[in-house]
Amino acid sequence: DEMQNTIIEAGIELNENDVTQLSQAFRILVERMATENLADINLSNLSSYGLAKIASVASIPPGMIICGGSIATAPEGYLICQGAAVSRITYAALFTTVGTLYGAGDGSTTFNLPDYRGYFLRGQGGNSAALNVAQGDAIRNMTGDLNASITDTGNSGFNLATGIFALANLGSQWRAAYAGSVVTANITGANFNASRQVPTATENRPLNRAVNYFIKY
């Protein structure tokens, strides 16, 4: 009965076949608590569970970001951060907080949620970008040295490689040297391979686990 009262107080017509009605009621009541006088909401009809649930959601300000490693859909009071355009009226409290920071939607009736798919969130400060500004990928610089030499017998090439470089024996090749005479020379080259210094992949990334991000509305 208490759960039914929660649904009724939210203005939803009871439907025993709709298992989402209670969560819908929580969302509606949280939005009403943010925009209406509490005296206009009959909280005495709500269950203790309902009151606790509403209080826990209502205490978090719009725009707060949470994440979940095993949550595929947004919990009550939240929207998934995948860049969707949503109503400026339905989510008025969130729109008041973020405005068109993440996109203007259709320019009049909707606005965009942040899209954090594939992003790592980073605490502001140090080498980070400004608050809410996306920062492009980068890697630390990698360096190395190559020293080359040629001998009076025609052997030429690199004799020292450090860092990301390594010596590679290219074998015996023909070359012209010394007043037009032709000699056989052993040529040493060098090659570049970043994996000698750092782990490599098809992208730049830190150690990570995938999660979904959600924004409070």
Side-chain angles (χ1 to χ4, degrees):
D1 290 342
E2 289 180 334
M3 291 187 178
Q4 289 181 352
N5 289 338
T6 301
I7 295 171
I8 293 171
E9 180 60 31
I12 300 174
E13 184 178 350
L14 286 174
N15 180 355
E16 61 181 14
N17 296 318
D18 187 352
V19 296
T20 69
Q21 284 194 323
L22 187 59
S23 62
Q24 293 177 43
F26 288 148
R27 177 178 61 80
I28 292 170
L29 290 172
V30 167
E31 292 172 354
R32 287 179 60 189
M33 291 176 71
T35 58
E36 299 179 17
N37 191 322
L38 288 180
D40 296 330
I41 303 176
N42 188 1
L43 299 178
S44 63
N45 285 335
L46 306 187
S47 66
S48 57
Y49 170 79
L51 287 172
K53 194 76 171 177
I54 291 171
S56 67
V57 175
S59 63
I60 302 172
M64 290 290 289
I65 302 293
I66 65 170
C67 67
S70 59
I71 304 174
T73 57
E76 295 159 8
Y78 290 83
L79 297 167
I80 194 166
C81 296
Q82 293 187 351
V86 297
S87 170
R88 299 185 182 192
I89 296 175
T90 303
Y91 303 104
L94 178 59
F95 180 64
T96 298
T97 301
V98 304
T100 58
L101 179 63
Y102 303 107
D106 64 5
S108 59
T109 65
T110 63
F111 68 104
N112 290 96
L113 302 175
D115 190 348
Y116 288 153
R117 288 173 293 182
Y119 274 87
F120 300 93
L121 301 193
R122 177 180 185 175
Q124 186 184 19
N127 295 321
S128 76
L131 189 64
N132 284 318
V133 174
Q135 188 175 46
D137 62 337
I139 61 173
R140 289 173 293 180
N141 192 26
M142 294 177 290
T143 62
D145 294 312
L146 287 174
N147 290 344
S149 65
I150 185 169
T151 68
D152 56 5
T153 59
N155 293 317
S156 66
F158 301 107
N159 59 12
L160 176 65
T162 65
I164 56 176
F165 296 104
L167 297 179
N169 190 345
L170 302 183
S172 179
Q173 297 184 11
W174 289 99
R175 64 182 298 278
Y178 305 112
S181 61
V182 177
V183 298
T184 299
N186 293 317
I187 300 176
T188 301
N191 55 47
F192 175 99
N193 191 333
S195 66
R196 296 190 182 101
Q197 296 290 300
V198 294
T200 58
T202 57
E203 62 179 0
N204 298 316
R205 62 170 184 256
L207 188 68
N208 69 88
R209 289 183 186 272
V211 299
N212 279 323
Y213 288 105
F214 306 96
I215 189 168
K216 175 69 171 62
Y217 60 78

